[in-house]
Amino acid sequence: MRQTTLSGESLVEEYKRTHPGSQKWHERAVRFFAADGTTHQERVLVPFRPYITHAKGSRKWDVDGNEYIDCIMGHGALILGHSHPAVVQAVQEQMAKGVHYSENHELEVEWAELIRTMMPAAERIEFFACGQETNMMAIRLARVFTGRRKILRFEHNYHGWSEEIARQGSAGVMAPEVKIIPMNDLNKVEEELAKKEYAIIMTEGGGANMAGQVPWDTDFIRALSGLAHKYGTVWHIDEVVTGFREAPGGWQSTVGVTPDLTALGKCVGGGLPVGAVVGRADIMDAFNPKTPLERHVRHPGTWNAIPLICAAGIAACKLYLNGEPHKKARELGAYLRQEGNKVLKERNISGRLYGRTIVHLHLGPIDYEPSDDTLPPTKDVQKIMNPAMVPIRARLSLHLLQRGIATYGTRFFVLSAAHTEEDIDQTVEAFGSALDGMLTEGTIEAAK
Ligand SMILES: Cc1ncc(COP(=O)(O)O)c(C=O)c1O
């Protein structure tokens, strides 16, 4: 763990002193990128996040030579870690053979076969450039299939930023056909579906916000398929994060459900940008050119299943087949929960780590100790999503960065099969030291 002094010097001053190169790049970047010099909203941090030069396995390094254990892992895409040799080799070889043929090619078929092997519900497969495109197409397919327009979604579930899948009410977003209801309320779902107006009901795989910051009640999820079919609505699971991260069959295989449509992204491409909608042949037949014009869905797209991405996807999916990467990441998640929760308890800080291969940090009231430590210690969504915690999490995030641990706002620690027990030990040590720093400076309080 990188040592931090906090002796007379403020954390921000110390961070700036140890990141002079990143500060220079930040000063250049703010002239271009309106989001405080960043190209992604999650990378906004006062004073600035580090500028990274390279990454390997579980680690990455910045322009000043600082090393980080990466607990973001390509926004969840890198279950195999950075630059897995099999993916690197596949991409390098394919790059030399051609990025884009503008023609059919063997790799797209081979990739689709691997996906179907792992996820039998993938009767048909359609590739896209990213996860949110996949969700947008799922909506269109459902509309064409049902002849309805409306979309039923759940609070806190993330599906992308375009009009109908963005957080409603945020600037520039107005989608009157979208209805958003609380999670895990079956009566409310039935009340809405019974209106027989909804084309699609959308659910984020694993729970809201990166695989389950707000978890689903399993009985609720198992009831959704029956309810959706009863009222003629297409049930969609967005497994952009969880597909091929939780298990070879995706999160749906772990809870034993089969949706009508599934969105894949992130891990399915081995770390390169990708999306795929997979599911029922009768719904996806809308792509078939023999379908009558009024039910025929067109799907152009420059980047659909280009050879370079297929090569990475195939290399990664071959490694997913035996479930070993997922098992290792799950075990490391359990170890991080166990050791990290000791750190919180020793300091009498009200909070818990929970989750699976993505471990979430709850900071706030503990309503009960769940017997299953993958679950948060409260069922109250307001306590889990409490906006008052955002600055505290941001402060913790800076403390952790200064100690060599990269997270986004300490909402979660994304693990991979490339992480090791030693990485977790270092992360836990840094977590304890960061919390001690915050207790000393008074930015977090121990419970009374
Ligand atoms: C659950 C979920 N769905 C969809 C998306 C959008 O995917 P992309 O950023 O590839 O468009 C994300 C991105 O984080 C996601 O977490």
Side-chain angles (χ1 to χ4, degrees), residues 99-100 127-129 133 273-274 300-307 309:
V99 171
H100 196 321
F127 290 110
F128 299 85
E133 273 193 13
V274 71
T302 306
W303 307 110
N304 304 344
I306 62 166
I309 303 231

Side-chain angles (χ1 to χ4, degrees), residues 74-320:
H75 298 214
L78 302 173
I79 183 79
L80 299 172
H82 290 283
S83 304
H84 188 285
V87 178
V88 171
Q89 189 185 344
V91 169
Q92 283 176 340
E93 285 175 8
Q94 189 56 45
M95 192 75 192
K97 288 197 237 169
V99 171
H100 196 321
Y101 303 146
S102 314
E103 296 287 358
N104 304 328
H105 54 94
E106 297 153 297
L107 298 178
E108 58 196 7
V109 184
E110 205 184 317
W111 195 17
E113 282 168 354
L114 281 162
I115 293 171
R116 161 97 59 81
T117 304
M118 290 187 278
M119 194 174 266
E123 292 173 2
R124 292 287 181 275
I125 297 169
E126 190 79 6
F127 290 110
F128 299 85
C130 67
Q132 84 155 351
E133 273 193 13
T134 308
N135 287 325
M136 287 155 67
M137 183 57 90
I139 292 171
R140 179 162 304 162
L141 286 170
R143 281 177 166 162
V144 169
F145 187 72
T146 61
R148 300 173 180 174
R149 295 284 309 165
K150 289 186 77 173
I151 298 163
L152 191 58
R153 285 177 33 202
F154 292 94
E155 285 172 355
H156 309 297
N157 281 226
Y158 180 75
H159 302 294
W161 53 261
S162 76
E163 197 78 350
E164 285 166 324
I165 51 182
R167 187 189 306 163
Q168 297 302 300
S170 44
V173 175
M174 200 181 60
E177 287 165 328
V178 174
K179 172 92 182 177
I180 300 184
I181 59 174
M183 294 171 70
N184 296 320
D185 184 341
L186 216 47
N187 290 334
K188 187 72 191 154
V189 171
E190 179 143 27
E191 187 186 313
E192 290 300 325
L193 290 185
K195 296 175 185 166
K196 297 195 176 170
E197 293 172 343
Y198 290 96
I200 190 166
I201 175 167
M202 302 182 72
T203 43
E204 188 179 338
N209 274 317
M210 294 287 280
Q213 187 178 7
V214 186
W216 290 114
D217 172 346
T218 310
D219 290 337
F220 172 85
I221 283 294
R222 293 199 177 121
L224 279 189
S225 173
L227 269 189
H229 291 165
K230 180 171 169 191
Y231 297 110
T233 299
V234 170
W235 180 30
H236 174 64
I237 303 189
D238 174 351
E239 292 229 44
V240 168
V241 172
T242 51
F244 308 154
R245 165 167 275 283
E246 299 259 338
W251 172 74
Q252 55 195 258
S253 71
T254 69
V255 273
V257 294
T258 306
D260 302 308
L261 295 177
T262 299
L264 297 173
K266 305 205 190 225
C267 291
V268 73
L272 267 64
V274 71
V277 66
V278 310
R280 274 171 48 186
D282 56 344
I283 300 177
M284 295 188 60
D285 252 358
F287 293 123
N288 186 334
K290 292 188 187 125
T291 308
L293 216 52
E294 69 279 10
R295 282 189 288 113
H296 175 49
V297 171
R298 285 172 43 77
H299 179 211
T302 306
W303 307 110
N304 304 344
I306 62 166
L308 186 71
I309 303 231
C310 291
I314 291 169
C317 284
K318 280 184 178 164
L319 293 164
Y320 301 157

